[in-house]
């Protein structure tokens, strides 16, 4: 059975129209926050771990992955009304 992506799962429900997802980070998705409009919520640490896994061949360090995350993912979403939110879980606070 082929697993659906987040975009596929939520695109059928009009209450989620316009919600922006972070491509390639479905495994870091932890839920939805309801603000003025719904927004996808991701575990920041898990996103960084996925970046490291994806760039394993290049020897990507935690610091490299954080930089990529901040400049290419977070800044790339700025200004969008339904941009995803990236949270640090309490148990991950030692990494920041």
């Amino acid at each position: 059975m082929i697993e659906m992506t987040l975009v596929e799962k939520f695109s059928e429900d009009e209450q989620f129209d316009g919600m922006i997802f972070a491509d390639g980070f479905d495994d870091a998705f932890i839920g939805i926050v309801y603000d003025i409009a719904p927004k996808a919520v991701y575990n920041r640490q898990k996103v960084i771990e996925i970046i490291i896994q994806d760039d394993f061949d290049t020897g990507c360090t935690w610091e490299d992955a954080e930089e990529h995350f901040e400049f290419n993912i977070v800044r790339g979403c700025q200004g969008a009304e339904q941009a995803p939110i990236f949270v640090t879980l309490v148990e991950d606070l030692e990494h920041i």
Side-chain angles (χ1 to χ4, degrees):
M1 184 167 128
I2 298 174
E3 191 172 324
M4 294 173 64
T5 66
L6 289 174
V7 172
E8 292 168 335
K9 287 178 186 177
F10 289 99
S11 66
E12 296 177 9
D13 191 332
E14 65 184 43
Q15 72 174 325
F16 302 113
D17 281 352
M19 197 162 73
I20 299 170
F21 295 95
D23 292 336
F25 299 103
D26 285 9
D27 288 342
F29 178 77
I30 58 174
I32 297 171
V33 65
Y34 291 90
D35 192 10
I36 294 170
K39 299 176 184 179
V41 180
Y42 293 86
N43 177 329
R44 179 185 184 276
Q45 271 45 50
K46 182 67 175 166
V47 168
I48 292 170
E49 290 170 8
I50 292 169
I51 293 168
I52 291 170
Q53 285 176 339
D54 289 349
D55 291 334
F56 180 75
D57 294 339
T58 63
C60 183
T61 65
W62 185 270
E63 292 77 22
D64 294 336
E66 272 188 314
E67 185 175 320
H68 175 83
F69 169 76
E70 295 295 334
F71 287 99
N72 296 300
I73 299 172
V74 174
R75 289 188 182 185
C77 294
Q78 284 181 335
E81 183 178 317
Q82 288 180 274
I85 295 173
F86 301 93
V87 298
T88 300
L89 303 178
V90 171
E91 59 265 21
D92 294 327
L93 286 174
E94 66 188 44
H95 289 289
I96 61 168

